[in-house]
Amino acid sequence: MRAVLMAGGSGTRLRPLTCDLPKPMVPILNRPIAQHIVNLLKRHRITEIIATLHYLPDIMRDYFQDGSDFGVQMTYAVEEDQPLGTAGCVKNVAELLDDTFLVISGDCITDFDLSAAIRFHKERQAKATIILASVPNPIEFGVVITDEQQRIKRFLEKPSSSEIFSDTVNTGTYILEPDVLDYLPADQEADFPKDLFPLLLEKGDPIYGYVAQGYWCDVGHLDAYREAQYAALYQRVKLEFDYIERSPGLWVGQNTYIDSSARIETPALIGNNCRIGARAQIASGTVIGDNVQIGADADLKRPIIWNGVLVGEEAHLRACVAARGTRVDRRAHVLEGAIVGSLTTVGEEAQISPNVRVWPSKKIEPGAILNMNLIWGQAAHRNLFGLRGVSGLANVDITPEFAVRLGSAFGSTLKPGSYVAVSRDQRPISRMVSRSLIAGLMSVGINVKNLEATAIPVARSAAPTLAVASGIHVRVHPERPDHILIEFFDHKGINLSKGREKKIEGAYFKEDFRRAQIQEIGNVSTVSQATEI
């Protein structure tokens, strides 16, 4: 029997983990999700596997090659131009499917009894059998309802809360007869739940649902990824470990050194070629990849650490994910739910706050406190203010959302009801930023005198006559035309960026970001795309 492994998804909800890695290659217990699926298929004597690829296909092909190292035979079909959907990608390999075959999603962790499902399919003489599972919250999945003979009568893909009529959902694993693919057009996008299965119901073809027992998790988002990782480590799902169990609940790879003074709570997993330093604290639930170094006195509580990560002395990692090649320097803190993309450096004593996501190849400066997702820029800086004020790349570092928060933070340092003069140059991007600053100022009870397009010498000289507590001027940076410069001056027109830096930054980091709900930024990526408001 052959299986089709659907592995073409880009995994946008798993970013930044999938920025440089296809979703099926994201590791669980230090091995790709796809490898666990291959092991499951092999346990049920399914050794001919066709993998359908689209996003970064070479990574999976290079890892599995012909499959011989994993005890299977791997064949690949790449969707070159665009993804064809769950059914379209299988239709694309129809010439290889001349008998009953199994389709399984490449982003699930499960230990279902596939052999029992195949027997059920053949006993019912079904054209299609959907493997089902009962879940507590079916909103994110396709809901299915069957009759007493388990023949499917109705299903609804990703229902709203008012539309839920069952807790039995589609797991994305199907057993099919090859002639059902005749219903699908060639080289066109199509999905099983949206296109093929409704057509089978309409034509009266026998389509059944098999409710499987065991663990199943759709690793579609970051919370599910952590859940699957911990379920595997705590053995709530039957997966194969590639390491020796040195003691109950502690799996350690080859050529790994653990200092005698290190303290490890189980269950925990430590990969090959690792070094665990003196007095390191590793709590239960921790997963450490291959070629990882943990410095002395580091404190790890349930982090998921990928291959090649360096953790410095006295660093603290809390239920976070550190992707491939990340460096966390001495005394840095990466807190609960944070995701650090591959090849990122977190400087000494820096802090990444809970649930913050950092995209790959970024640099967090020493001592910086990162409270928002770092997506488009190259670095997170400790100091917000420079010699002239706040500057950054337009619509990358200085976005409307950033300007609103900066305005409200600056306004919070002034007395309620104070007046602030706001001026700008004539560029559209400056107008956009100045109006965002005004919105932030007004949100904390500051009155604004909008001078609109005014030269900064005029704005400064007018400040004493306007009875304002302070002023803000927005302009394109005089030395870097792709940067925006936001300058602050007092009621006398004197630049106060340096004099008020500590107070403003204190409000900015400790007050504004602590209470603000930070969203992802970056809908506009270049200055030329900015529109006037």
Side-chain angles (χ1 to χ4, degrees):
M1 187 174 184
R2 291 179 178 175
V4 178
L5 174 59
M6 297 183 293
S10 58
T12 54
R13 291 184 297 164
L14 277 177
R15 290 181 181 173
L17 300 180
T18 53
C19 287
D20 52 4
L21 200 65
K23 184 162 56 170
M25 297 302 292
V26 170
I28 299 285
L29 299 182
N30 296 346
R31 295 298 177 261
I33 294 173
Q35 183 173 338
H36 294 296
I37 297 173
V38 167
N39 290 339
L40 175 67
L41 294 172
K42 187 173 64 172
R43 285 202 301 269
H44 293 279
R45 299 181 180 179
I46 302 172
T47 57
E48 295 183 51
I49 302 171
I50 304 165
T52 61
L53 311 177
H54 175 70
Y55 177 67
L56 301 175
D58 290 341
I59 293 178
M60 188 167 179
R61 282 190 297 201
D62 291 345
Y63 186 87
F64 287 99
Q65 298 184 15
D66 63 358
S68 58
D69 291 343
F70 302 89
V72 297
Q73 177 185 331
M74 296 286 291
T75 306
Y76 305 95
V78 180
E79 304 163 48
E80 297 288 353
D81 299 323
Q82 62 179 10
L84 296 173
T86 56
C89 70
V90 177
K91 173 68 174 181
N92 198 36
V93 295
E95 68 276 5
L96 301 176
L97 304 169
D98 54 5
D99 197 357
T100 304
F101 64 95
L102 182 139
V103 175
I104 189 166
S105 174
D107 59 359
C108 68
I109 289 295
T110 182
D111 54 9
F112 285 160
D113 187 346
L114 300 181
S115 298
I118 294 167
R119 286 195 301 270
F120 172 91
H121 173 84
K122 292 182 177 179
E123 289 169 359
R124 297 297 196 278
Q125 296 182 340
K127 287 291 186 182
T129 297
I130 303 175
I131 297 183
L132 309 174
S134 296
V135 297
N137 183 13
I139 289 179
E140 297 183 0
F141 309 102
V143 176
V144 179
I145 193 166
T146 60
D147 62 15
E148 294 179 355
Q149 286 73 40
Q150 294 180 277
R151 187 161 178 165
I152 290 176
K153 293 299 182 182
R154 186 182 176 197
F155 55 84
L156 182 64
E157 187 69 12
K158 295 184 179 178
S160 64
S161 57
S162 62
E163 294 175 313
I164 294 174
F165 50 80
S166 171
D167 66 349
T168 307
V169 302
N170 178 3
T171 65
T173 304
Y174 317 116
I175 304 164
L176 305 172
E177 297 300 316
D179 56 352
V180 300
L181 299 179
D182 296 339
Y183 290 122
L184 296 173
D187 299 321
Q188 290 188 23
E189 184 175 354
D191 286 304
F192 285 113
K194 294 180 181 178
D195 302 305
L196 181 60
F197 295 152
L199 189 58
L200 293 177
L201 284 179
E202 180 183 331
K203 293 184 177 294
D205 286 342
I207 175 172
Y208 285 84
Y210 175 79
V211 181
Q213 302 301 315
Y215 181 89
W216 174 76
C217 179
D218 172 24
V219 189
H221 52 82
L222 294 168
D223 289 340
Y225 173 70
R226 287 188 291 265
E227 176 191 332
Q229 192 85 247
Y230 298 138
L233 187 61
Y234 283 86
Q235 296 183 287
R236 294 194 295 268
V237 56
K238 298 175 184 177
L239 299 183
E240 296 179 15
F241 287 75
D242 281 359
Y243 307 104
I244 298 173
E245 191 172 8
R246 295 275 185 92
S247 60
L250 177 61
W251 291 268
V252 179
Q254 298 178 356
N255 194 32
T256 286
Y257 170 78
I258 301 175
D259 190 275
S260 59
S261 61
R263 181 180 176 185
I264 303 175
E265 299 175 356
T266 59
L269 182 145
I270 303 173
N272 299 319
N273 307 312
C274 294
R275 294 292 180 269
I276 310 299
R279 300 173 300 281
Q281 303 284 325
I282 299 177
S284 61
T286 298
V287 176
I288 298 175
D290 297 335
N291 306 304
V292 172
Q293 294 188 39
I294 306 297
D297 300 297
D299 189 359
L300 312 182
K301 287 185 169 60
R302 303 185 77 205
I304 300 166
I305 299 174
W306 290 15
N307 296 347
V309 172
L310 175 63
V311 178
E313 297 178 359
E314 301 180 59
H316 288 66
L317 278 68
R318 299 283 186 269
C320 58
V321 180
R324 172 184 58 87
T326 296
R327 176 172 174 168
V328 182
D329 285 340
R330 181 173 177 269
R331 292 185 178 177
H333 287 65
V334 185
L335 301 182
E336 292 82 355
I339 310 292
V340 183
S342 60
L343 305 177
T344 289
T345 299
V346 182
E348 284 192 19
E349 300 186 0
Q351 175 179 302
I352 300 179
S353 296
N355 300 313
V356 169
R357 288 183 281 170
V358 181
W359 261 236
S361 303
K362 298 295 188 284
K363 182 178 180 180
I364 315 299
E365 287 193 350
I369 301 176
L370 186 63
N371 293 284
M372 60 186 296
N373 295 336
L374 182 57
I375 302 174
W376 302 106
Q378 295 299 316
H381 301 289
R382 178 178 183 179
N383 294 320
L384 179 66
F385 284 76
L387 293 174
R388 293 181 172 177
V390 179
S391 65
L393 192 63
N395 272 319
V396 174
D397 301 316
I398 308 295
T399 64
E401 296 86 353
F402 174 89
V404 169
R405 292 192 293 269
L406 179 60
S408 62
F410 178 68
S412 69
T413 68
L414 305 174
K415 293 181 179 180
S418 298
Y419 280 84
V420 172
V422 178
S423 57
R424 58 175 173 82
D425 64 17
Q426 297 179 343
R427 306 290 182 87
I429 187 69
S430 301
R431 174 184 290 187
M432 179 182 72
V433 172
S434 68
R435 293 193 175 184
S436 299
L437 284 164
I438 289 171
L441 290 165
M442 295 180 68
S443 72
V444 292
I446 300 299
N447 298 308
V448 174
K449 293 188 176 182
N450 188 1
L451 306 183
E452 298 186 354
T454 305
I456 189 169
V458 175
R460 284 182 175 178
S461 61
T465 64
L466 294 174
V468 294
S470 184
I472 305 174
H473 184 78
V474 181
R475 59 171 170 157
V476 172
H477 199 290
E479 299 171 0
R480 306 185 68 177
D482 57 346
H483 277 55
I484 286 291
L485 176 62
I486 303 173
E487 299 176 83
F488 296 81
F489 51 90
D490 64 11
H491 65 287
K492 296 181 180 180
I494 300 173
N495 188 311
L496 51 72
S497 294
K498 295 300 289 184
R500 293 287 291 277
E501 178 179 351
K502 183 175 181 180
K503 185 175 182 181
I504 295 172
E505 286 205 11
Y508 181 72
F509 285 114
K510 295 179 182 178
E511 180 64 25
D512 185 67
F513 275 131
R514 183 176 63 190
R515 67 189 182 201
Q517 182 178 356
I518 308 303
Q519 304 292 333
E520 289 188 12
I521 61 174
N523 290 329
V524 183
S525 58
T526 64
V527 177
S528 62
Q529 289 177 289
T531 56
E532 294 188 16
I533 301 175

